Amino acid sequence: DQQVKQNSPSLSVQEGRISILNCDYTNSMFDYFLWYKKYPAEGPTFLISISSIKDKNEDGRFTVFLNKSAKHLSLHIVPSQPGDSAVYFCAGGQGAQKLVFGQGTRLTINP
Amino acid sequence: DVKVTQSSRYLVKRTGEKVFLECVQDMDHENMFWYRQDPGLGLRLIYFSYDVKMKEKGDIPEGYSVSREKKERFSLILESASTNQTSMYLCASSFAQGPLHFGNGTRLTVT
């Protein structure tokens, strides 16, 4: 039972454009969501989070949107830069601890 | 800056061997976690610990055990390694409800 799903294994975006990564979840008890970024040979690093009391959280070029009725969240990166090329994982849970992760989306930013 | 150190980057073990994966964090975090990452499956939680000598099962604990004798150290033990335990193993730590900080991972191959 995949409680958190990232249905796009990969995404390719032109440098300077907007990257939109999507994530769906099934567990309505989840009240906290996070995005992590992972480069090859490194562990995931925390990017941005959102709690269920909000529908948007912004940090510089990164914005996360949460649609609770659709059980959907998305990560917007604008403008996209070559250094953004990585695998992105979304995660959800009750609180920030026992998280369930999606399968990951490989983002490639083309010059 | 938080540092989570996993003792080995690469390990090759034989089927049936007992395997120890070690993880140390330097930020006095109460919470520590072991995940495994597999293609198409994302990160799956094996075990976690909220305090010294305390442990809780994650989503896939079968075939694994853990030990937390000191706050900064969390060990994952494969009692009798099998080929289906070939994977990337990621250790993480966190403070209270803060985000997880991951180590760089140990790629384990069981032959």
Side-chain angles (χ1 to χ4, degrees), chain A residues 2-3 32 34 36 38 40-46 87 89 94-104, chain B residues 9 31 33 35 37 40-43 45 48 50 57-59 90 94-100 102-104:
Chain A
Q2 191 78 26
Q3 296 186 74
Y32 196 67
L34 304 90
Y36 282 81
K38 186 180 185 301
E42 294 183 13
T45 54
F46 169 70
V87 177
F89 292 97
Q94 290 180 257
Q97 296 310 300
K98 196 179 172 190
L99 297 173
V100 178
F101 283 79
Q103 306 96 312
Chain B
R9 293 301 302 269
N31 308 317
F33 306 81
Y35 284 85
Q37 181 193 355
L41 297 176
L43 280 69
L45 181 62
F48 60 104
Y50 288 149
K57 293 180 180 179
D59 299 318
L90 292 160
S94 72
F95 176 72
Q97 289 295 312
L100 304 184
F102 284 89
N104 283 335

mmCIF file of all heavy atoms in Angstrom, chain A residues 2-3 32 34 36 38 40-46 87 89 94-104, chain B residues 9 31 33 35 37 40-43 45 48 50 57-59 90 94-100 102-104:
data_model
loop_
_atom_site.group_PDB
_atom_site.id
_atom_site.type_symbol
_atom_site.label_atom_id
_atom_site.label_comp_id
_atom_site.label_asym_id
_atom_site.label_seq_id
_atom_site.Cartn_x
_atom_site.Cartn_y
_atom_site.Cartn_z
ATOM 1 N N GLN A 2 0.957 1.880 -1.168
ATOM 2 C CA GLN A 2 1.819 3.042 -1.319
ATOM 3 C C GLN A 2 1.038 4.263 -0.861
ATOM 4 O O GLN A 2 0.196 4.779 -1.595
ATOM 5 C CB GLN A 2 2.252 3.167 -2.787
ATOM 6 C CG GLN A 2 3.345 4.153 -3.041
ATOM 7 C CD GLN A 2 4.730 3.623 -2.659
ATOM 8 O OE1 GLN A 2 4.958 2.430 -2.659
ATOM 9 N NE2 GLN A 2 5.620 4.518 -2.327
ATOM 10 N N GLN A 3 1.321 4.742 0.337
ATOM 11 C CA GLN A 3 0.544 5.855 0.886
ATOM 12 C C GLN A 3 0.944 7.201 0.291
ATOM 13 O O GLN A 3 0.185 8.156 0.373
ATOM 14 C CB GLN A 3 0.703 5.909 2.394
ATOM 15 C CG GLN A 3 0.150 4.687 3.123
ATOM 16 C CD GLN A 3 0.225 4.883 4.612
ATOM 17 O OE1 GLN A 3 -0.544 5.642 5.202
ATOM 18 N NE2 GLN A 3 1.160 4.203 5.250
ATOM 19 N N TYR A 32 1.566 16.613 7.971
ATOM 20 C CA TYR A 32 2.842 17.300 7.754
ATOM 21 C C TYR A 32 3.510 16.672 6.554
ATOM 22 O O TYR A 32 3.548 15.443 6.422
ATOM 23 C CB TYR A 32 3.718 17.140 9.004
ATOM 24 C CG TYR A 32 4.887 18.099 9.071
ATOM 25 C CD1 TYR A 32 4.679 19.462 9.224
ATOM 26 C CD2 TYR A 32 6.194 17.642 9.006
ATOM 27 C CE1 TYR A 32 5.730 20.344 9.295
ATOM 28 C CE2 TYR A 32 7.258 18.519 9.084
ATOM 29 C CZ TYR A 32 7.016 19.863 9.229
ATOM 30 O OH TYR A 32 8.070 20.736 9.305
ATOM 31 N N LEU A 34 6.868 17.037 3.602
ATOM 32 C CA LEU A 34 8.190 17.594 3.365
ATOM 33 C C LEU A 34 8.673 17.195 1.971
ATOM 34 O O LEU A 34 8.246 16.176 1.422
ATOM 35 C CB LEU A 34 9.210 17.064 4.392
ATOM 36 C CG LEU A 34 8.915 17.256 5.861
ATOM 37 C CD1 LEU A 34 8.131 16.083 6.443
ATOM 38 C CD2 LEU A 34 10.214 17.420 6.643
ATOM 39 N N TYR A 36 12.380 16.494 -0.012
ATOM 40 C CA TYR A 36 13.812 16.297 0.126
ATOM 41 C C TYR A 36 14.417 16.218 -1.269
ATOM 42 O O TYR A 36 13.793 15.763 -2.225
ATOM 43 C CB TYR A 36 14.124 14.991 0.883
ATOM 44 C CG TYR A 36 13.952 15.092 2.373
ATOM 45 C CD1 TYR A 36 12.700 14.984 2.960
ATOM 46 C CD2 TYR A 36 15.052 15.304 3.193
ATOM 47 C CE1 TYR A 36 12.545 15.082 4.329
ATOM 48 C CE2 TYR A 36 14.908 15.395 4.570
ATOM 49 C CZ TYR A 36 13.657 15.284 5.122
ATOM 50 O OH TYR A 36 13.503 15.383 6.488
ATOM 51 N N LYS A 38 17.919 14.866 -3.406
ATOM 52 C CA LYS A 38 19.022 13.928 -3.254
ATOM 53 C C LYS A 38 19.919 13.944 -4.487
ATOM 54 O O LYS A 38 19.467 13.688 -5.599
ATOM 55 C CB LYS A 38 18.494 12.515 -3.006
ATOM 56 C CG LYS A 38 19.596 11.509 -2.701
ATOM 57 C CD LYS A 38 19.036 10.129 -2.470
ATOM 58 C CE LYS A 38 20.133 9.153 -2.042
ATOM 59 N NZ LYS A 38 21.219 9.029 -3.026
ATOM 60 N N PRO A 40 23.374 12.222 -6.326
ATOM 61 C CA PRO A 40 24.028 10.902 -6.310
ATOM 62 C C PRO A 40 25.106 10.832 -5.237
ATOM 63 O O PRO A 40 25.816 11.803 -5.009
ATOM 64 C CB PRO A 40 24.624 10.790 -7.714
ATOM 65 C CG PRO A 40 23.824 11.716 -8.552
ATOM 66 C CD PRO A 40 23.415 12.847 -7.662
ATOM 67 N N ALA A 41 25.207 9.716 -4.579
ATOM 68 C CA ALA A 41 26.243 9.443 -3.576
ATOM 69 C C ALA A 41 26.123 10.333 -2.335
ATOM 70 O O ALA A 41 27.066 10.423 -1.548
ATOM 71 C CB ALA A 41 27.644 9.562 -4.175
ATOM 72 N N GLU A 42 24.996 11.000 -2.172
ATOM 73 C CA GLU A 42 24.758 11.778 -0.957
ATOM 74 C C GLU A 42 23.416 11.385 -0.356
ATOM 75 O O GLU A 42 22.550 10.850 -1.046
ATOM 76 C CB GLU A 42 24.746 13.272 -1.257
ATOM 77 C CG GLU A 42 26.079 13.820 -1.706
ATOM 78 C CD GLU A 42 26.017 15.326 -1.909
ATOM 79 O OE1 GLU A 42 25.043 15.960 -1.472
ATOM 80 O OE2 GLU A 42 26.959 15.861 -2.511
ATOM 81 N N GLY A 43 23.247 11.674 0.936
ATOM 82 C CA GLY A 43 21.951 11.457 1.542
ATOM 83 C C GLY A 43 20.973 12.541 1.156
ATOM 84 O O GLY A 43 21.362 13.616 0.692
ATOM 85 N N PRO A 44 19.670 12.297 1.312
ATOM 86 C CA PRO A 44 18.675 13.343 1.027
ATOM 87 C C PRO A 44 18.868 14.540 1.944
ATOM 88 O O PRO A 44 19.228 14.380 3.113
ATOM 89 C CB PRO A 44 17.339 12.641 1.319
ATOM 90 C CG PRO A 44 17.633 11.180 1.268
ATOM 91 C CD PRO A 44 19.040 11.035 1.730
ATOM 92 N N THR A 45 18.633 15.726 1.411
ATOM 93 C CA THR A 45 18.689 16.939 2.221
ATOM 94 C C THR A 45 17.315 17.597 2.230
ATOM 95 O O THR A 45 16.627 17.655 1.199
ATOM 96 C CB THR A 45 19.742 17.935 1.704
ATOM 97 O OG1 THR A 45 19.496 18.197 0.321
ATOM 98 C CG2 THR A 45 21.134 17.385 1.857
ATOM 99 N N PHE A 46 16.953 18.111 3.376
ATOM 100 C CA PHE A 46 15.651 18.748 3.555
ATOM 101 C C PHE A 46 15.558 20.016 2.725
ATOM 102 O O PHE A 46 16.495 20.822 2.684
ATOM 103 C CB PHE A 46 15.445 19.060 5.040
ATOM 104 C CG PHE A 46 14.271 19.952 5.318
ATOM 105 C CD1 PHE A 46 12.984 19.479 5.145
ATOM 106 C CD2 PHE A 46 14.456 21.257 5.735
ATOM 107 C CE1 PHE A 46 11.895 20.293 5.395
ATOM 108 C CE2 PHE A 46 13.376 22.077 5.994
ATOM 109 C CZ PHE A 46 12.097 21.599 5.824
ATOM 110 N N VAL A 87 17.293 14.009 -7.583
ATOM 111 C CA VAL A 87 16.069 13.250 -7.325
ATOM 112 C C VAL A 87 15.334 13.925 -6.169
ATOM 113 O O VAL A 87 15.941 14.247 -5.142
ATOM 114 C CB VAL A 87 16.373 11.778 -6.988
ATOM 115 C CG1 VAL A 87 15.076 11.031 -6.650
ATOM 116 C CG2 VAL A 87 17.082 11.100 -8.149
ATOM 117 N N PHE A 89 12.233 13.733 -3.406
ATOM 118 C CA PHE A 89 11.305 12.857 -2.699
ATOM 119 C C PHE A 89 10.308 13.702 -1.917
ATOM 120 O O PHE A 89 10.701 14.642 -1.225
ATOM 121 C CB PHE A 89 12.049 11.966 -1.694
ATOM 122 C CG PHE A 89 12.937 10.935 -2.317
ATOM 123 C CD1 PHE A 89 14.295 11.162 -2.463
ATOM 124 C CD2 PHE A 89 12.409 9.721 -2.749
ATOM 125 C CE1 PHE A 89 15.121 10.200 -3.031
ATOM 126 C CE2 PHE A 89 13.222 8.761 -3.314
ATOM 127 C CZ PHE A 89 14.583 9.002 -3.457
ATOM 128 N N GLN A 94 2.151 11.855 10.228
ATOM 129 C CA GLN A 94 1.506 12.543 11.353
ATOM 130 C C GLN A 94 2.644 13.142 12.167
ATOM 131 O O GLN A 94 3.319 12.423 12.901
ATOM 132 C CB GLN A 94 0.698 11.549 12.172
ATOM 133 C CG GLN A 94 -0.527 11.042 11.454
ATOM 134 C CD GLN A 94 -1.313 10.055 12.298
ATOM 135 O OE1 GLN A 94 -1.240 8.852 12.083
ATOM 136 N NE2 GLN A 94 -2.057 10.554 13.255
ATOM 137 N N GLY A 95 2.863 14.440 12.034
ATOM 138 C CA GLY A 95 4.084 15.037 12.568
ATOM 139 C C GLY A 95 5.236 14.754 11.630
ATOM 140 O O GLY A 95 5.080 14.115 10.584
ATOM 141 N N ALA A 96 6.410 15.204 12.063
ATOM 142 C CA ALA A 96 7.577 15.151 11.162
ATOM 143 C C ALA A 96 8.419 13.902 11.350
ATOM 144 O O ALA A 96 9.492 13.803 10.772
ATOM 145 C CB ALA A 96 8.434 16.389 11.387
ATOM 146 N N GLN A 97 7.950 12.944 12.111
ATOM 147 C CA GLN A 97 8.851 11.866 12.490
ATOM 148 C C GLN A 97 8.686 10.595 11.673
ATOM 149 O O GLN A 97 9.495 10.292 10.845
ATOM 150 C CB GLN A 97 8.703 11.599 13.986
ATOM 151 C CG GLN A 97 9.136 12.793 14.815
ATOM 152 C CD GLN A 97 10.506 13.324 14.413
ATOM 153 O OE1 GLN A 97 11.501 12.609 14.488
ATOM 154 N NE2 GLN A 97 10.577 14.557 13.956
ATOM 155 N N LYS A 98 7.642 9.861 11.879
ATOM 156 C CA LYS A 98 7.511 8.586 11.178
ATOM 157 C C LYS A 98 6.962 8.859 9.777
ATOM 158 O O LYS A 98 5.783 8.688 9.506
ATOM 159 C CB LYS A 98 6.590 7.642 11.952
ATOM 160 C CG LYS A 98 6.719 6.206 11.494
ATOM 161 C CD LYS A 98 5.827 5.270 12.285
ATOM 162 C CE LYS A 98 5.840 3.887 11.661
ATOM 163 N NZ LYS A 98 4.832 2.993 12.217
ATOM 164 N N LEU A 99 7.871 9.288 8.889
ATOM 165 C CA LEU A 99 7.469 9.728 7.561
ATOM 166 C C LEU A 99 7.342 8.570 6.589
ATOM 167 O O LEU A 99 8.059 7.575 6.681
ATOM 168 C CB LEU A 99 8.506 10.718 7.017
ATOM 169 C CG LEU A 99 8.667 12.027 7.796
ATOM 170 C CD1 LEU A 99 9.852 12.807 7.239
ATOM 171 C CD2 LEU A 99 7.402 12.854 7.711
ATOM 172 N N VAL A 100 6.436 8.743 5.630
ATOM 173 C CA VAL A 100 6.314 7.829 4.502
ATOM 174 C C VAL A 100 6.763 8.587 3.265
ATOM 175 O O VAL A 100 6.269 9.689 2.994
ATOM 176 C CB VAL A 100 4.861 7.341 4.329
ATOM 177 C CG1 VAL A 100 4.761 6.419 3.120
ATOM 178 C CG2 VAL A 100 4.379 6.631 5.590
ATOM 179 N N PHE A 101 7.705 8.014 2.525
ATOM 180 C CA PHE A 101 8.297 8.675 1.374
ATOM 181 C C PHE A 101 7.696 8.149 0.074
ATOM 182 O O PHE A 101 7.313 6.978 -0.032
ATOM 183 C CB PHE A 101 9.812 8.439 1.336
ATOM 184 C CG PHE A 101 10.586 9.279 2.311
ATOM 185 C CD1 PHE A 101 10.644 8.931 3.645
ATOM 186 C CD2 PHE A 101 11.250 10.413 1.894
ATOM 187 C CE1 PHE A 101 11.355 9.702 4.559
ATOM 188 C CE2 PHE A 101 11.968 11.193 2.793
ATOM 189 C CZ PHE A 101 12.018 10.834 4.125
ATOM 190 N N GLY A 102 7.660 9.034 -0.926
ATOM 191 C CA GLY A 102 7.304 8.627 -2.268
ATOM 192 C C GLY A 102 8.493 7.966 -2.959
ATOM 193 O O GLY A 102 9.579 7.843 -2.394
ATOM 194 N N GLN A 103 8.273 7.567 -4.217
ATOM 195 C CA GLN A 103 9.302 6.819 -4.953
ATOM 196 C C GLN A 103 10.399 7.704 -5.512
ATOM 197 O O GLN A 103 11.452 7.227 -5.913
ATOM 198 C CB GLN A 103 8.672 6.055 -6.120
ATOM 199 C CG GLN A 103 7.514 5.155 -5.740
ATOM 200 C CD GLN A 103 6.183 5.839 -5.951
ATOM 201 O OE1 GLN A 103 5.970 6.991 -5.532
ATOM 202 N NE2 GLN A 103 5.261 5.147 -6.581
ATOM 203 N N GLY A 104 10.143 9.001 -5.558
ATOM 204 C CA GLY A 104 11.131 9.941 -6.078
ATOM 205 C C GLY A 104 10.873 10.302 -7.530
ATOM 206 O O GLY A 104 10.325 9.508 -8.307
ATOM 207 N N ARG B 9 30.790 3.424 3.279
ATOM 208 C CA ARG B 9 30.059 3.829 2.074
ATOM 209 C C ARG B 9 29.625 2.612 1.263
ATOM 210 O O ARG B 9 28.557 2.608 0.676
ATOM 211 C CB ARG B 9 30.923 4.741 1.197
ATOM 212 C CG ARG B 9 31.230 6.087 1.802
ATOM 213 C CD ARG B 9 29.963 6.882 2.109
ATOM 214 N NE ARG B 9 29.121 7.116 0.945
ATOM 215 C CZ ARG B 9 29.212 8.186 0.168
ATOM 216 N NH1 ARG B 9 30.117 9.107 0.397
ATOM 217 N NH2 ARG B 9 28.377 8.347 -0.843
ATOM 218 N N ASN B 31 16.069 11.619 18.252
ATOM 219 C CA ASN B 31 15.463 10.676 17.315
ATOM 220 C C ASN B 31 16.472 10.202 16.280
ATOM 221 O O ASN B 31 17.202 11.002 15.695
ATOM 222 C CB ASN B 31 14.299 11.355 16.580
ATOM 223 C CG ASN B 31 13.321 12.006 17.525
ATOM 224 O OD1 ASN B 31 12.969 11.446 18.544
ATOM 225 N ND2 ASN B 31 12.895 13.223 17.176
ATOM 226 N N PHE B 33 16.875 7.139 12.934
ATOM 227 C CA PHE B 33 16.088 6.330 12.007
ATOM 228 C C PHE B 33 17.006 5.536 11.073
ATOM 229 O O PHE B 33 18.090 6.001 10.727
ATOM 230 C CB PHE B 33 15.203 7.235 11.122
ATOM 231 C CG PHE B 33 14.333 8.189 11.882
ATOM 232 C CD1 PHE B 33 14.845 9.377 12.380
ATOM 233 C CD2 PHE B 33 13.000 7.901 12.103
ATOM 234 C CE1 PHE B 33 14.051 10.272 13.086
ATOM 235 C CE2 PHE B 33 12.186 8.785 12.803
ATOM 236 C CZ PHE B 33 12.715 9.968 13.291
ATOM 237 N N TYR B 35 16.523 3.842 7.227
ATOM 238 C CA TYR B 35 15.723 3.635 6.031
ATOM 239 C C TYR B 35 16.532 2.806 5.039
ATOM 240 O O TYR B 35 17.767 2.789 5.066
ATOM 241 C CB TYR B 35 15.407 4.979 5.348
ATOM 242 C CG TYR B 35 14.344 5.813 6.006
ATOM 243 C CD1 TYR B 35 14.657 6.681 7.058
ATOM 244 C CD2 TYR B 35 13.031 5.766 5.570
ATOM 245 C CE1 TYR B 35 13.684 7.468 7.655
ATOM 246 C CE2 TYR B 35 12.048 6.558 6.160
ATOM 247 C CZ TYR B 35 12.394 7.398 7.202
ATOM 248 O OH TYR B 35 11.420 8.166 7.779
ATOM 249 N N GLN B 37 16.713 2.460 0.708
ATOM 250 C CA GLN B 37 16.238 3.063 -0.535
ATOM 251 C C GLN B 37 16.435 2.079 -1.665
ATOM 252 O O GLN B 37 17.546 1.588 -1.906
ATOM 253 C CB GLN B 37 17.023 4.344 -0.844
ATOM 254 C CG GLN B 37 16.571 5.027 -2.115
ATOM 255 C CD GLN B 37 17.521 6.088 -2.603
ATOM 256 O OE1 GLN B 37 18.506 6.409 -1.956
ATOM 257 N NE2 GLN B 37 17.214 6.668 -3.745
ATOM 258 N N GLY B 40 12.375 2.646 -7.493
ATOM 259 C CA GLY B 40 10.938 2.487 -7.669
ATOM 260 C C GLY B 40 10.151 2.373 -6.376
ATOM 261 O O GLY B 40 8.916 2.357 -6.405
ATOM 262 N N LEU B 41 10.847 2.266 -5.250
ATOM 263 C CA LEU B 41 10.165 2.113 -3.959
ATOM 264 C C LEU B 41 10.413 3.277 -3.012
ATOM 265 O O LEU B 41 9.790 3.348 -1.943
ATOM 266 C CB LEU B 41 10.603 0.810 -3.286
ATOM 267 C CG LEU B 41 10.257 -0.477 -4.027
ATOM 268 C CD1 LEU B 41 10.837 -1.679 -3.301
ATOM 269 C CD2 LEU B 41 8.747 -0.624 -4.162
ATOM 270 N N GLY B 42 11.300 4.163 -3.351
ATOM 271 C CA GLY B 42 11.596 5.288 -2.479
ATOM 272 C C GLY B 42 12.324 4.852 -1.223
ATOM 273 O O GLY B 42 13.061 3.864 -1.216
ATOM 274 N N LEU B 43 12.107 5.593 -0.143
ATOM 275 C CA LEU B 43 12.732 5.282 1.140
ATOM 276 C C LEU B 43 11.697 4.594 2.030
ATOM 277 O O LEU B 43 10.571 5.086 2.175
ATOM 278 C CB LEU B 43 13.196 6.562 1.838
ATOM 279 C CG LEU B 43 14.504 7.198 1.395
ATOM 280 C CD1 LEU B 43 14.412 7.776 0.002
ATOM 281 C CD2 LEU B 43 14.935 8.262 2.385
ATOM 282 N N LEU B 45 10.999 2.894 5.904
ATOM 283 C CA LEU B 45 11.486 2.942 7.282
ATOM 284 C C LEU B 45 11.626 1.537 7.851
ATOM 285 O O LEU B 45 10.663 0.760 7.852
ATOM 286 C CB LEU B 45 10.527 3.776 8.135
ATOM 287 C CG LEU B 45 10.881 3.959 9.599
ATOM 288 C CD1 LEU B 45 12.210 4.699 9.754
ATOM 289 C CD2 LEU B 45 9.765 4.705 10.317
ATOM 290 N N PHE B 48 13.187 2.821 14.102
ATOM 291 C CA PHE B 48 13.541 4.125 14.611
ATOM 292 C C PHE B 48 13.625 4.103 16.131
ATOM 293 O O PHE B 48 13.209 3.120 16.765
ATOM 294 C CB PHE B 48 12.577 5.212 14.125
ATOM 295 C CG PHE B 48 11.138 5.011 14.511
ATOM 296 C CD1 PHE B 48 10.567 5.756 15.525
ATOM 297 C CD2 PHE B 48 10.336 4.101 13.825
ATOM 298 C CE1 PHE B 48 9.230 5.588 15.865
ATOM 299 C CE2 PHE B 48 9.009 3.923 14.164
ATOM 300 C CZ PHE B 48 8.450 4.672 15.182
ATOM 301 N N TYR B 50 13.433 6.817 19.650
ATOM 302 C CA TYR B 50 13.202 8.144 20.212
ATOM 303 C C TYR B 50 14.073 8.428 21.431
ATOM 304 O O TYR B 50 14.055 9.530 21.964
ATOM 305 C CB TYR B 50 11.735 8.311 20.617
ATOM 306 C CG TYR B 50 10.790 8.443 19.457
ATOM 307 C CD1 TYR B 50 9.481 7.983 19.563
ATOM 308 C CD2 TYR B 50 11.176 9.014 18.261
ATOM 309 C CE1 TYR B 50 8.599 8.100 18.501
ATOM 310 C CE2 TYR B 50 10.315 9.135 17.201
ATOM 311 C CZ TYR B 50 9.020 8.677 17.328
ATOM 312 O OH TYR B 50 8.152 8.794 16.281
ATOM 313 N N LYS B 57 9.534 -0.531 15.671
ATOM 314 C CA LYS B 57 9.546 -1.056 14.315
ATOM 315 C C LYS B 57 8.975 -0.030 13.347
ATOM 316 O O LYS B 57 8.001 0.662 13.656
ATOM 317 C CB LYS B 57 8.726 -2.348 14.239
ATOM 318 C CG LYS B 57 9.338 -3.501 15.015
ATOM 319 C CD LYS B 57 8.475 -4.750 14.904
ATOM 320 C CE LYS B 57 9.093 -5.897 15.684
ATOM 321 N NZ LYS B 57 8.252 -7.116 15.620
ATOM 322 N N GLY B 58 9.598 0.000 12.182
ATOM 323 C CA GLY B 58 9.059 0.801 11.102
ATOM 324 C C GLY B 58 8.159 -0.045 10.221
ATOM 325 O O GLY B 58 7.471 -0.950 10.692
ATOM 326 N N ASP B 59 8.202 0.215 8.925
ATOM 327 C CA ASP B 59 7.312 -0.477 7.998
ATOM 328 C C ASP B 59 7.852 -1.808 7.513
ATOM 329 O O ASP B 59 7.084 -2.689 7.120
ATOM 330 C CB ASP B 59 7.032 0.437 6.792
ATOM 331 C CG ASP B 59 6.344 1.727 7.214
ATOM 332 O OD1 ASP B 59 5.429 1.667 8.061
ATOM 333 O OD2 ASP B 59 6.737 2.810 6.719
ATOM 334 N N LEU B 90 20.132 4.174 4.625
ATOM 335 C CA LEU B 90 20.286 5.562 5.026
ATOM 336 C C LEU B 90 19.899 5.726 6.482
ATOM 337 O O LEU B 90 18.822 5.322 6.904
ATOM 338 C CB LEU B 90 19.390 6.463 4.167
ATOM 339 C CG LEU B 90 19.796 6.577 2.695
ATOM 340 C CD1 LEU B 90 18.634 7.061 1.854
ATOM 341 C CD2 LEU B 90 20.972 7.534 2.542
ATOM 342 N N SER B 94 16.967 13.450 14.054
ATOM 343 C CA SER B 94 16.200 14.688 14.131
ATOM 344 C C SER B 94 16.026 15.093 15.587
ATOM 345 O O SER B 94 16.136 14.273 16.505
ATOM 346 C CB SER B 94 14.820 14.534 13.468
ATOM 347 O OG SER B 94 13.980 13.715 14.258
ATOM 348 N N PHE B 95 15.720 16.383 15.762
ATOM 349 C CA PHE B 95 15.441 16.928 17.083
ATOM 350 C C PHE B 95 13.947 17.214 17.188
ATOM 351 O O PHE B 95 13.395 17.910 16.328
ATOM 352 C CB PHE B 95 16.236 18.212 17.290
ATOM 353 C CG PHE B 95 15.935 18.896 18.587
ATOM 354 C CD1 PHE B 95 16.369 18.356 19.791
ATOM 355 C CD2 PHE B 95 15.200 20.069 18.621
ATOM 356 C CE1 PHE B 95 16.092 18.969 20.989
ATOM 357 C CE2 PHE B 95 14.910 20.692 19.817
ATOM 358 C CZ PHE B 95 15.348 20.143 21.008
ATOM 359 N N ALA B 96 13.303 16.638 18.178
ATOM 360 C CA ALA B 96 11.861 16.851 18.422
ATOM 361 C C ALA B 96 11.091 16.630 17.122
ATOM 362 O O ALA B 96 11.178 15.581 16.505
ATOM 363 C CB ALA B 96 11.628 18.227 19.022
ATOM 364 N N GLN B 97 10.314 17.651 16.670
ATOM 365 C CA GLN B 97 9.524 17.519 15.455
ATOM 366 C C GLN B 97 10.208 18.153 14.256
ATOM 367 O O GLN B 97 9.554 18.453 13.250
ATOM 368 C CB GLN B 97 8.155 18.170 15.658
ATOM 369 C CG GLN B 97 7.256 17.383 16.611
ATOM 370 C CD GLN B 97 6.894 16.014 16.063
ATOM 371 O OE1 GLN B 97 6.491 15.895 14.912
ATOM 372 N NE2 GLN B 97 7.072 14.977 16.870
ATOM 373 N N GLY B 98 11.531 18.336 14.338
ATOM 374 C CA GLY B 98 12.259 18.932 13.232
ATOM 375 C C GLY B 98 12.467 17.969 12.084
ATOM 376 O O GLY B 98 12.195 16.770 12.201
ATOM 377 N N PRO B 99 12.951 18.473 10.941
ATOM 378 C CA PRO B 99 13.161 17.605 9.778
ATOM 379 C C PRO B 99 14.299 16.607 10.002
ATOM 380 O O PRO B 99 15.180 16.821 10.829
ATOM 381 C CB PRO B 99 13.519 18.592 8.661
ATOM 382 C CG PRO B 99 14.052 19.784 9.367
ATOM 383 C CD PRO B 99 13.322 19.870 10.665
ATOM 384 N N LEU B 100 14.260 15.526 9.250
ATOM 385 C CA LEU B 100 15.308 14.510 9.331
ATOM 386 C C LEU B 100 16.578 15.006 8.646
ATOM 387 O O LEU B 100 16.522 15.640 7.602
ATOM 388 C CB LEU B 100 14.853 13.222 8.645
ATOM 389 C CG LEU B 100 13.555 12.583 9.121
ATOM 390 C CD1 LEU B 100 13.327 11.277 8.387
ATOM 391 C CD2 LEU B 100 13.573 12.382 10.613
ATOM 392 N N PHE B 102 19.980 13.361 7.061
ATOM 393 C CA PHE B 102 20.432 12.056 6.621
ATOM 394 C C PHE B 102 21.954 11.986 6.504
ATOM 395 O O PHE B 102 22.624 12.983 6.205
ATOM 396 C CB PHE B 102 19.848 11.731 5.237
ATOM 397 C CG PHE B 102 18.407 11.331 5.270
ATOM 398 C CD1 PHE B 102 17.399 12.281 5.182
ATOM 399 C CD2 PHE B 102 18.047 9.989 5.371
ATOM 400 C CE1 PHE B 102 16.059 11.905 5.201
ATOM 401 C CE2 PHE B 102 16.721 9.610 5.384
ATOM 402 C CZ PHE B 102 15.720 10.564 5.305
ATOM 403 N N GLY B 103 22.482 10.766 6.702
ATOM 404 C CA GLY B 103 23.860 10.478 6.348
ATOM 405 C C GLY B 103 23.961 10.225 4.849
ATOM 406 O O GLY B 103 22.960 10.269 4.128
ATOM 407 N N ASN B 104 25.176 9.932 4.378
ATOM 408 C CA ASN B 104 25.395 9.743 2.950
ATOM 409 C C ASN B 104 25.082 8.335 2.461
ATOM 410 O O ASN B 104 25.173 8.072 1.265
ATOM 411 C CB ASN B 104 26.829 10.100 2.581
ATOM 412 C CG ASN B 104 27.021 11.606 2.524
ATOM 413 O OD1 ASN B 104 26.075 12.356 2.311
ATOM 414 N ND2 ASN B 104 28.243 12.053 2.739
#
